[in-house]
Amino acid sequence: MNDVVLKPGKEKSLLRRHPWVYATAVAQVVGRPQPGDTVRVVDCRGDFLAWGAYSPESQIRVRCWSFREEEGIDAAWMAARVTEAVARRASLAGRTDAVRLVFGEGDSLPGFVADRYADQLVVQFLAAGVERWREPLVDALVAATGCLNVYERSDAAAREREALAARTGVLRGRQPPAEVEIVEDGVRYGVDVVNGHKTGFYLDQRESRRLVAELAARGGPSAPGLNCFSYTGGFSLAALRAGAAHAISVDSSADALAMAARNAARNGLPEAAFECRVSKVADAQKALAAEGRQFDIVVLDPPKFAPSVHHVDKAARAYKDVNLKGMKLVKPGGYLLTFSCSGAVSVDLFQKIVAGAVIDSREDFVLLERLAAGMDHPMRMTHPEGEYLKGLLLQRV
Ligand code: SAH
């Protein structure tokens, strides 16, 4: 039996069922657990707290599987979590064939991510525990979905913190095509699962893409939009398909915008309606302001500015700056959708930063809605870190 014994008082977060044990909380390791082995986490008196996966190189020394002593952590347990997770998303099937099927801690499988793009599955093993159980996890996923093609994208930075080398490649079935086509809310997107960001697509923005479509439809055919940090054009396509006359997509990646342009063609959109600018957003914002341009809908969806809590102050300045410049480009009566995907920037802090930008803009905005990832990104109520994506829908008054 491998036991991880905590220091006195360090059991508190586990009693609240927070699923991480930091290295600094550990008093002693009994036995010789190897990376990914199941350990029993106990308090300083030896009382059971949780079952978890041991990760000797990570600051998060144990990620908990279960707080129930009677549960056995084995291949059948892993398969049951996968089956539950897939079933949890069943209601999305009518809207889309692109869904995050498993989302780490939110589905009781810390470090495991599985996305479905039509008949292609893409998986990430981002912690020692799920790395250890990769075969049963993939088997369960194939069984639960009937999808025979599985590609691995375990190349996220999180692997380094677990002392795991990056690994990518075919796990089951065929080499993925250069573009897997998905359909979400009637819009077609090509997804490059081999080279794209994350597993190829920002599934977490599905609800906000729908919101943009609704706003564009309400605004009538005049509504022109500005999509900053557009990646492969998701928000632009959603707006144009809903009736917007014109959208500008700005991204520093020429590859992402090339895919965006192919996506526009895929949806039969006229080329003139779909403008792309390969540029830093700050430069494009400056240029558009100089041209005197303003838009009915402006989207700001920057990359993660704060990779950890140590970067929050610097990130706050960057968020404020991009928002301030973005606000200047919103027409009176127009909308701003602004996002942060930094887990270290809380919902409250993000709202304060954006409020700061509103003050500096000398314009007025009202908050209409708070935005978040959809139901295929569940957050455990005892693990608030899972709520990484937050956004605000503002209207300029
Ligand atoms: N809104 C997108 C996802 C955005 S991800 C969607 O819904 O699909 C962030 C994007 O910002 C990436 O495509 C990246 O290439 C781009 N990016 C990062 N820094 C940038 C910068 N300074 N200027 C322009 N684009 C940038």
Side-chain angles (χ1 to χ4, degrees), residues 19 47 59 85 93 107 135-136 278 285 294 298 300 341 344 380 387:
D47 289 340
Q59 284 310 302
D107 290 300
E135 288 301 321
V278 181
Q285 286 175 325
Q294 287 198 318
V298 174
L300 301 173
C341 60
R380 268 196 197 214
E387 189 176 23

Side-chain angles (χ1 to χ4, degrees), residues 197 201-202 205 209 227-235 250-253 256 279-282 299 301-303:
H197 292 178
F201 192 66
Y202 287 84
Q205 290 290 22
R209 279 189 287 272
N227 183 6
C228 298
F229 309 97
S230 68
Y231 189 48
T232 55
F235 288 111
V250 181
D251 202 285
S252 52
S253 161
S279 164
K280 293 228 173 223
V281 162
V299 176
D301 185 22

Side-chain angles (χ1 to χ4, degrees), residues 233-246:
F235 288 111
S236 311
L237 294 160
L240 291 166
R241 276 296 305 265
H246 186 86

Side-chain angles (χ1 to χ4, degrees), residues 1-6 10-18 21 38-53 62-73 77:
M1 178 65 73
N2 294 315
D3 279 4
V4 170
V5 185
L6 301 191
K10 293 296 184 187
E11 71 284 356
K12 288 200 190 95
S13 67
L14 274 94
L15 291 172
R16 291 198 299 263
R17 300 196 304 288
H18 188 272
V21 177
T38 301
V39 292
R40 211 166 69 109
V41 184
V42 298
D43 68 14
C44 62
R45 292 188 311 273
D47 289 340
F48 175 87
L49 292 166
W51 298 111
V62 180
R63 290 173 197 255
C64 296
W65 298 121
S66 168
F67 299 94
R68 297 195 188 114
E69 191 165 12
E70 68 278 13
E71 285 193 36
I73 307 303
W77 188 92

